Amino acid sequence: MTDLQQLLRQARADGIEALLGGVVVRDGGGRVLTVRRKADDHFGGLWEIPGGSLDPGEDPLTGAARELAEETGLTGLDLDYLHAADFTGRTGLRVRQFAFATTVPDGTPVVLTEHDAHRWAPLDDLPTVSAHHAEILALLR
């Protein structure tokens, strides 16, 4: 089991200024769920894994599960810690995204609320994603 409090302590020690949680969702065939940002959103049209900012005091697992539910309607899933990827955010802050992984049966419905499209993509045919999401997804190959 991953020590979530240790992950947060390490992020603070590393000078990380913003924390995100995200979830790599795979189906039974190993395809990855990617979601596309709406055109009028920052980085509009970019594909990504579901996720977003942690709320104040929220641990990475809880935040990742909340973001997954808010963005896709997927709830009640077992999430396993996968990786943490660092990047510089659009405002210059040092950001760390804690990524978790889960698997759902083929055909699991996805209900989007913040994105305009979703795609189940094989690992060898992913849409273009940000560098930190590419880093996370490369661990699955």
Side-chain angles (χ1 to χ4, degrees), residues 61-132:
L61 177 62
T62 302
R66 177 186 51 74
E67 285 289 339
L68 180 65
E70 289 174 2
E71 294 182 1
T72 67
L74 299 173
T75 62
L77 301 171
D78 290 329
L79 304 181
D80 296 313
Y81 180 70
L82 181 62
H83 182 66
D86 295 348
F87 63 99
T88 302
R90 68 179 186 231
T91 60
L93 293 178
R94 294 187 62 209
V95 180
R96 178 164 294 166
Q97 180 162 35
F98 299 102
F100 295 83
T102 193
T103 303
V104 298
D106 290 354
T108 297
V110 173
V111 179
L112 298 178
T113 58
E114 299 178 18
H115 298 83
D116 66 4
H118 76 279
R119 175 179 167 196
W120 291 97
L123 284 171
D124 61 357
D125 188 25
L126 291 169
T128 301
V129 296
S130 65
H132 72 282

Side-chain angles (χ1 to χ4, degrees), residues 24 32 34 46-49 82-87 97 99 123 126-141:
V24 176
V32 174
T34 55
L46 184 68
W47 291 86
E48 60 190 5
I49 63 171
L82 181 62
H83 182 66
D86 295 348
F87 63 99
Q97 180 162 35
L123 284 171
L126 291 169
T128 301
V129 296
S130 65
H132 72 282
H133 284 171
E135 176 185 333
I136 292 165
L137 293 167
L139 296 171
L140 301 175
R141 292 193 177 116

Side-chain angles (χ1 to χ4, degrees), residues 22-47:
V23 181
V24 176
V25 181
R26 296 177 84 176
D27 68 8
R31 297 177 305 166
V32 174
L33 175 64
T34 55
V35 292
R36 187 177 66 196
R37 288 180 170 267
K38 293 178 181 177
D40 61 351
D41 195 5
H42 187 71
F43 295 120
L46 184 68
W47 291 86

